[in-house]
Amino acid sequence: MKPGSGPAIETRGLSVRFGDVPGVLDLDLEVGVGEVYGFLGPNGAGKSTTIRLLLDLLRPDSGEARVFGTEVRTGGARLRADIGFLPGDLALFPFLNGFQTLRFLEGLSGRRATLRNEVLERLHFPTDALRRPVRTYSTGMRQKIGLVAAFQHDPRLLILDEPTTGLDPIVRDAFLELVNDRRVAGRTVFLSSHVLDEIDRCADRVGLIADARLRMESTVSELRESRPRTVVLRYADGRRESRQHHGEPNALLDEIHREGLVDVEVRPASLDEVFRSVVGGDGP
Amino acid sequence: MSRPLFAFLLRRHWWTCGLCVMLPILIGLIVGVIYPTMEKERSVIGPMLDLMRNWFPELPNFLRPDGAFVWPYMHPMTLLAYVLAPAIVALAQPAGERGRGSLDLLLATRLSRTRLVTSVFSFMVPVAVVVALGPFIGSFIGSTLCGEVGSVPLGAYLLCSVEASALSLFFGSLALLVSVRARDRGQATLIFVAVTLAWFLVDVVSQMWKGAPDWIGRASPFGYYDPLGLAYQQEVSFTLDLLVLLVGAAVFLGWAVWLARRRRFA
């Protein structure tokens, strides 16, 4: 494959172990250009390890990882200039203020921060706080600075590890809109999270990792359809009956007792239920 | 060399580096202020210095301007400044950033592991030069203050500064190597301090042990720094000393780059 072309992310048989503890095992992943990919998994499943492998911050024991068709180990500086990254355990530089932090990371990225002001505004970051040292920031403000740093140079690929940690619901909504806008602009977003709601709202496809292995990969709608729906029946005498149904709707109609039925509510399986079923109840 | 990283390092370390430069300047100033008194009281101070020379044969003659004003080059605080100024920079990057988790943020940009190491080294070069110029400035100001500037071998002092900058760079490169290898700044600092102390003790032993074989002094990098010999225009192997220190620094740098590239973790 010609370097610079191909899927945004591609891994083949990617494995890494930390002594006896598996980090990631045999990971085959493909994320297309312009796609928002939700990478789900419980704590310690291997999400952050996968991200570190994709950025060459950690070297695999076997297998390979490619970004835009280029092997990450050999892609070097040019490849990483196309990536915006938010680490899961974000640590900033306490002696810099917000503005200096963003300028410094802009300088290191080698690209102009064309989106900085827009992202600051959309994430409701108070402009006057930019001149304060980051050590005085709250967790949420630090997270916003990390997000602005990842988005500011309009990278082709955004790799975001637990991006909504510490954000209030309004800013979280603004962030999800921002992700959708990047998708519209043809950018790729690889979003790791264990908050299912946000993946549900913005991802095109979902990969589910548990115990260091990719357990499931699908579109969000396919994933939902693969699970039984919850059907709630309400009767005139106040009775309420709930049942799980998977398959043809006619079969359900044959099964239910229709006398006195006043309401039928069909709830699609939530991502949360899918998640719990795959990871064996060890959900977030 | 990464310019944003250079500016970042400058912002982060200007205060400690500035302090390391100011120390020998201050020592030179103090010598300049007390030199006339020492000269006046030579009948008292002379025997005291002779007595001390029994334990420290390399103690300069404070009753002569060329001896008194070489003191900013030899004061233990100056040696500490030479060792610490570039080492503080190197121990903070990459080991310090690794320990606090901000290294990932740096290395996810265009900054490669190799470039991080070489950029930190590039920053240490001017730091080492400026810190080594501190004693020269101190000696110059001090000797001017007491009207002895004409009796001071400033040319030889400048050579001392060149040697001092090589010594400083040697320790900076060692710190960089340890920083690349270590888990975090704490571990890196511990290893660096242990190695430096061991070399310092070797140097002290070689000075205090009368008739010690030459190789003992040469087993420590401090043995390649001889301001007294240069100031008294004794026969000293200036070029060889300089070469040994610079080659040592280059070896440590090369080793650090090699290790950084091969590290499994950033």
Side-chain angles (χ1 to χ4, degrees):
Chain A
M1 190 182 291
K2 204 175 85 180
S5 65
I9 294 172
E10 189 183 13
T11 68
R12 290 280 168 264
L14 201 63
S15 299
V16 71
R17 283 180 170 275
F18 307 107
D20 292 336
V21 182
V24 167
L25 295 174
D26 245 348
L27 183 71
D28 292 334
L29 206 64
E30 194 169 310
V31 180
V33 172
E35 194 175 10
V36 177
Y37 189 92
F39 199 47
L40 279 170
N43 296 330
K47 302 188 295 291
S48 298
T49 302
T50 305
I51 285 177
R52 299 193 80 224
L53 288 164
L54 290 175
L55 289 160
D56 193 35
L57 298 171
L58 174 66
R59 305 249 159 97
D61 296 330
S62 61
E64 62 169 19
R66 289 176 178 273
V67 169
F68 297 118
T70 305
E71 170 67 49
V72 292
R73 179 124 188 221
T74 55
R78 189 177 293 181
L79 183 64
R80 285 193 301 274
D82 278 334
I83 301 174
F85 170 54
L86 176 78
D89 48 352
L90 177 68
L92 297 172
F93 314 100
F95 55 95
L96 296 183
N97 65 33
F99 184 68
Q100 287 163 343
T101 303
L102 294 174
R103 281 287 302 272
F104 172 51
L105 293 171
E106 176 195 13
L108 289 182
S109 77
R111 297 271 171 90
R112 283 194 57 226
T114 49
L115 292 180
R116 182 193 299 153
N117 292 338
E118 184 194 330
V119 180
L120 279 168
E121 197 178 316
R122 290 179 66 173
L123 293 180
H124 308 284
F125 193 92
T127 322
D128 53 332
L130 278 176
R131 301 286 168 189
R132 269 174 31 209
V134 293
R135 65 173 172 269
T136 66
Y137 286 4
S138 65
T139 310
M141 281 171 83
R142 277 200 293 271
Q143 191 72 359
K144 285 181 195 177
I145 284 289
L147 283 169
V148 177
F151 279 84
Q152 65 176 351
H153 58 289
D154 193 14
R156 288 168 69 197
L157 170 64
L158 279 153
I159 297 182
L160 310 172
D161 193 0
E162 311 280 1
T164 55
T165 307
L167 299 183
D168 64 53
I170 293 168
V171 178
R172 199 167 61 209
D173 287 350
F175 161 74
L176 294 174
E177 275 174 30
L178 211 53
V179 169
N180 279 322
D181 286 356
R182 291 296 87 212
R183 184 215 333 250
V184 171
R187 308 299 186 232
T188 310
V189 183
F190 185 86
L191 200 149
S192 135
S193 181
H194 58 253
V195 181
L196 304 171
D197 173 56
E198 63 198 34
I199 298 280
D200 205 0
R201 286 170 60 186
C202 70
D204 300 309
R205 278 197 310 139
V206 177
L208 216 155
I209 188 169
D211 300 327
R213 287 185 190 277
L214 189 68
R215 296 289 194 84
M216 185 184 272
E217 199 180 27
S218 167
T219 64
V220 175
S221 53
E222 277 172 2
L223 208 59
R224 277 214 194 91
E225 278 160 21
S226 70
R227 308 301 308 170
R229 295 168 185 213
T230 306
V231 181
V232 181
L233 308 168
R234 286 202 190 88
Y235 291 93
D237 58 4
R239 267 188 307 128
R240 201 165 167 275
E241 194 182 313
S242 176
R243 59 170 70 196
Q244 300 287 310
H245 178 75
H246 193 212
E248 282 293 303
N250 285 334
L252 172 72
L253 293 173
D254 291 342
E255 277 174 27
I256 61 177
H257 182 66
R258 299 185 199 182
E259 197 179 317
L261 186 67
V262 291
D263 190 24
V264 179
E265 188 186 349
V266 182
R267 289 187 205 145
S270 71
L271 210 50
D272 188 78
E273 285 162 338
V274 177
F275 183 94
R276 283 174 195 278
S277 69
V278 172
V279 301
D282 187 21
Chain B
M1 173 69 205
S2 162
R3 279 175 60 191
L5 187 67
F6 194 93
F8 169 83
L9 294 175
L10 193 62
R11 196 185 294 276
R12 181 166 191 176
H13 297 291
W14 72 267
W15 197 86
T16 40
C17 291
L19 195 70
C20 288
V21 177
M22 287 310 292
L23 267 172
I25 295 179
L26 200 66
I27 293 165
L29 271 170
I30 292 168
V31 174
V33 169
I34 63 171
Y35 180 73
T37 315
M38 283 198 299
E39 207 186 20
K40 216 185 289 175
E41 304 295 334
R42 62 169 54 234
S43 57
V44 180
I45 294 170
M48 275 169 59
L49 287 175
D50 288 341
L51 189 70
M52 285 173 74
R53 217 165 270 123
N54 283 325
W55 294 286
F56 299 101
E58 298 218 349
L59 200 69
N61 187 351
F62 289 99
L63 302 175
R64 278 170 50 181
D66 57 348
F69 288 101
V70 82
W71 188 234
Y73 281 95
M74 300 184 66
H75 195 283
M77 293 301 280
T78 305
L79 293 181
L80 199 66
Y82 291 160
V83 171
L84 283 188
I88 285 171
V89 178
L91 294 172
Q93 278 88 218
E97 305 292 354
R98 184 184 300 126
R100 57 192 297 280
S102 44
L103 189 63
D104 284 4
L105 203 58
L106 296 182
L107 292 180
T109 64
R110 285 166 61 99
L111 190 71
S112 65
R113 299 168 186 214
T114 306
R115 201 145 174 245
L116 173 67
V117 173
T118 53
S119 294
V120 172
F121 181 81
S122 307
F123 181 79
M124 287 193 312
V125 173
V127 168
V129 170
V130 171
V131 167
L133 277 175
F136 181 81
I137 298 167
S139 298
F140 180 77
I141 296 175
S143 57
T144 306
L145 211 66
C146 61
E148 293 285 358
V149 71
S151 322
V152 168
L154 289 175
Y157 283 4
L158 211 53
L159 289 182
C160 293
S161 284
V162 173
E163 216 167 57
S165 57
L167 180 75
S168 191
L169 203 58
F170 179 92
F171 278 101
S173 307
L174 170 71
L176 190 58
L177 171 64
V178 172
S179 181
V180 168
R181 182 75 183 80
R183 186 182 58 239
D184 53 31
R185 181 156 54 180
Q187 192 189 47
T189 306
L190 205 67
I191 297 169
F192 178 74
V193 168
V195 173
T196 305
L197 266 180
W199 272 335
F200 185 72
L201 285 176
V202 168
D203 189 60
V204 169
V205 167
S206 77
Q207 282 188 36
M208 292 182 74
W209 180 10
K210 284 175 188 162
D214 190 44
W215 66 264
I216 293 188
R218 293 288 180 173
S220 156
F222 292 108
Y224 297 86
Y225 173 65
D226 186 6
L228 209 57
L230 283 166
Y232 287 170
Q233 292 171 342
Q234 291 168 345
E235 219 171 277
V236 289
S237 50
F238 170 75
T239 315
L240 181 70
D241 289 353
L242 195 66
L243 203 68
V244 168
L245 292 172
L246 290 178
V247 167
V251 167
F252 288 147
L253 171 67
W255 195 353
V257 168
W258 184 77
L259 271 181
R261 278 186 183 160
R262 286 175 59 89
R263 260 189 84 96
R264 192 169 165 231
F265 299 90

